[in-house]
Amino acid sequence: MSVYDRLSVLFRILPEVERPSRKPSLGERLFWTGLVLIAYFLMGQVPLYGIPRQTQGTIGALEFLRIVMASKRGTLIELGIGPIVTSGIIWELLVGSKIVNIDLTSREGRRTFAGLQKLTAILFAALEAFAYIYGGVYGFLTPTQQALVFIQLFVASIFVILMNDMLEKGWGVGSAVSLFIAAGVAQQIFWELFSPIGPLADGLYYGLFPSLIVGVVNFVTTGNATLLHYAILRPTGYPDLVGFASMVALLLFLAYLESTKVTIPVSSARFSGMRTRIPLKLLYVSVMPVILVGALYANIVMITQALWPRLNPGNTNPYLNVIAKFNYTQNGPVPLPGSLVYYITPPRSIFSVFYDPVHVAVYALLYISFAVLFGVAWIVTSGMDPESQAEQLVKAQLHIPGFRKSEKIIANVLRRYIWSLTILSSILIGLIAVTSDLLRVMGGGTGILLLVGITIQYYSILASERALEMYPALSRLLGE
């Protein structure tokens, strides 16, 4: 009896969305994708019932990871895509390291992998909801309030899991994970550009453009350039002109990197030896390492914040201090130097290089190392490794000129390119994310990385779908 047969009884009781009986048109898929996005935004506007209003979503050090987790504090999407991505991390590492042996090239293996991911995501939804409540994120709650908040967080997470299931099974375009992250980053950038909240402590507004207007008007009328200087580079960490310029420069640089490819010549046995080239992107791992590193960091911060008030409230245990030390403020727990949590929290200013170089160095080293680790794991589990790519080429009756028509030979040739691109792109993605955090890029360095990568992915998907609809013969040729 196979693994899937043994677990099929359990998989059948999991909530799921059935695959469409026919492949929906692109218009229909865009319609369902839009409905999912609207539902997600609506959930982000519904506050959790039963928690004190002044403590809604206070979680301190986790704030910088909310974009990656597509979450919004104090609302039904408090947990965001965290359970889904955390489940993905675990199973990608287990399968990629061969600790759990699942054949992802077979239909049954993929169904087993998907079922295990969904089951684990549901378990993590319950665990994370409990951790938020137990850790005092919402302040003191009565048992009735705790039960109400737990049910809201858990049920909302199930809806997010089902929305992701719906899109991935063909009802929509792409995945809910990518869609929610991109929408959240775009919303954050818009808010940082135009927010009218203020005046704040520095005399400016939260949004960049209102702050620039105030700074220019104040300079013209009084001759005092202080507010204008603050609008250009704000010591308070609010959006400024330097962050906007860094965002534009990063967008252009990422667009260039996304267009850079390495091509491998191939010949088709099906079409009389016709030659073409297969492009391999320089950013071969895309943005997945960033999402996975963000999910790992979010879970570390969340678990330590949940346990810290009860296990080490005064930072008196030297062993636990290695993992986490917090200073509790009105804005939530703030990590203190000397602990793991402090060094996985991004430095949010270029001046950090001078006044806390150890933090910058350790943060960069850890981030890049995890990016490489998850990049390799993602390539193995997603079928982008040399062996899987060679198998696909052989099935398509393609081979590399000058080499024998053997799957092993083709895999050996691809191995030279794919693993080098995997390591290089993972390091590049990590460096860009760290540098962008230091420059306080609007939307967050990690957020811009995700937005660009996800937008290009959606553009490619839509272009491919449009081509298949316009040329039915091409669809039949590709077996779509």
Side-chain angles (χ1 to χ4, degrees):
M1 183 180 291
S2 65
V3 176
Y4 182 80
D5 292 333
R6 288 195 292 267
L7 296 174
S8 59
V9 176
L10 183 59
F11 291 161
R12 277 197 292 268
I13 66 175
L14 296 178
E16 68 172 337
V17 177
E18 295 291 336
R19 291 184 180 277
S21 56
R22 62 171 180 83
K23 184 177 181 179
S25 66
L26 181 58
E28 291 174 319
R29 296 169 68 189
L30 288 175
F31 171 76
W32 288 113
T33 303
L35 280 185
V36 166
L37 186 58
I38 291 172
Y40 180 79
F41 278 136
L42 289 176
M43 291 171 66
Q45 298 302 315
V46 179
L48 290 169
Y49 176 76
I51 63 176
R53 187 172 182 82
Q54 67 272 17
T55 61
Q56 285 189 1
T58 300
I59 196 166
L62 192 57
E63 189 65 33
F64 74 95
L65 291 168
R66 287 195 178 275
I67 289 180
V68 180
M69 292 296 97
S71 65
K72 191 171 182 180
R73 65 180 182 177
T75 69
L76 291 178
I77 55 170
E78 178 79 73
L79 302 183
I81 59 172
I84 300 174
V85 180
T86 304
S87 172
I89 290 176
I90 292 175
W91 286 107
E92 282 169 15
L93 290 178
L94 290 176
V95 175
S97 61
K98 304 299 182 183
I99 296 176
V100 176
N101 191 16
I102 298 178
D103 182 12
L104 296 178
T105 60
S106 66
R107 181 172 180 270
E108 187 177 274
R110 291 192 295 271
R111 291 171 64 190
T112 303
F113 186 76
L116 289 171
Q117 273 193 314
K118 181 185 290 186
L119 175 62
T120 310
I122 293 174
L123 294 176
F124 267 104
L127 178 63
E128 291 181 11
F130 175 77
Y132 271 62
I133 297 168
Y134 182 78
V137 170
Y138 308 114
F140 175 78
L141 300 177
T142 66
T144 301
Q145 290 175 315
Q146 292 177 353
L148 285 173
V149 172
F150 178 86
I151 291 172
Q152 291 174 85
L153 291 175
F154 182 70
V155 172
S157 294
I158 297 297
F159 272 106
V160 172
I161 292 171
L162 289 177
M163 286 191 288
N164 184 63
D165 197 28
M166 175 181 172
L167 296 190
E168 290 189 338
K169 285 189 174 178
W171 288 100
V173 179
S175 70
V177 170
S178 299
L179 181 67
F180 296 159
I181 291 175
V185 175
Q187 186 182 44
Q188 178 69 18
I189 292 173
F190 182 85
W191 187 249
E192 291 184 354
L193 287 174
F194 302 104
S195 172
I197 291 179
L200 303 176
D202 57 4
L204 298 176
Y205 292 85
Y206 183 81
L208 169 64
F209 291 139
S211 297
L212 278 175
I213 293 173
V214 170
V216 170
V217 170
N218 184 72
F219 177 68
V220 171
T221 56
T222 67
N224 188 342
T226 301
L227 292 182
L228 184 58
H229 289 161
Y230 283 167
I232 295 173
L233 181 61
R234 299 174 79 168
T236 54
Y238 294 122
D240 55 30
L241 190 60
V242 171
F244 177 72
S246 300
M247 180 190 70
V248 174
L250 179 60
L251 286 172
L252 295 175
F253 181 58
L254 287 174
Y256 169 75
L257 290 180
E258 285 283 354
S259 65
T260 305
K261 297 177 174 64
V262 176
T263 58
I264 300 177
V266 294
S267 178
S268 174
R270 183 186 301 178
F271 299 104
S272 305
M274 184 181 70
R275 295 195 175 191
T276 185
R277 290 179 176 272
I278 296 177
L280 299 177
K281 292 198 309 180
L282 175 61
L283 297 182
Y284 191 68
V285 295
S286 189
V287 295
M288 282 309 299
V290 173
I291 297 176
L292 297 175
V293 172
L296 175 66
Y297 283 7
N299 281 280
I300 292 175
V301 174
M302 180 187 64
I303 292 172
T304 53
Q305 285 191 4
L307 298 178
W308 170 73
R310 290 166 171 78
L311 298 181
N312 191 28
N315 300 319
T316 56
N317 189 316
Y319 300 105
L320 293 179
N321 285 347
V322 174
I323 301 174
K325 287 194 296 184
F326 290 104
N327 176 32
Y328 197 82
T329 68
Q330 61 179 1
N331 295 319
V334 175
L336 296 175
S339 64
L340 172 64
V341 171
Y342 176 77
Y343 290 114
I344 65 174
T345 304
R348 296 296 296 169
S349 169
I350 190 64
F351 300 111
S352 302
V353 176
F354 305 103
Y355 65 73
D356 197 356
V358 175
H359 182 195
V360 175
V362 174
Y363 174 77
L365 181 62
L366 288 175
Y367 198 106
I368 294 170
S369 299
F370 280 123
V372 172
L373 174 64
F374 287 128
V376 172
W378 168 250
I379 293 304
V380 172
T381 56
S382 63
M384 297 171 63
D385 58 290
E387 290 73 20
S388 300
Q389 294 295 309
E391 182 182 355
Q392 292 182 21
L393 290 177
V394 170
K395 287 181 178 179
Q397 299 184 34
L398 297 173
H399 69 278
I400 300 176
F403 295 89
R404 284 187 297 150
K405 300 177 183 179
S406 166
E407 188 175 315
K408 290 185 178 180
I409 297 297
I410 296 175
N412 286 333
V413 175
L414 292 178
R415 199 172 288 119
R416 306 173 193 169
Y417 297 92
I418 288 179
W419 290 125
S420 298
L421 288 174
T422 299
I423 303 298
L424 177 61
S425 59
S426 297
I427 293 174
L428 270 175
I429 288 292
L431 279 173
I432 292 172
V434 172
T435 304
S436 301
D437 284 329
L438 288 173
L439 294 174
R440 292 187 304 194
V441 170
M442 282 191 175
T446 301
I448 293 297
L449 268 173
L450 295 172
L451 179 62
V452 172
I454 292 169
T455 302
I456 291 175
Q457 286 178 8
Y458 266 90
Y459 174 79
S460 301
I461 292 172
L462 293 175
S464 174
E465 292 291 337
R466 179 60 67 186
L468 292 176
E469 285 198 349
M470 292 177 63
Y471 303 102
L474 178 61
S475 179
R476 291 192 297 271
L477 177 65
L478 297 176
E480 295 289 338

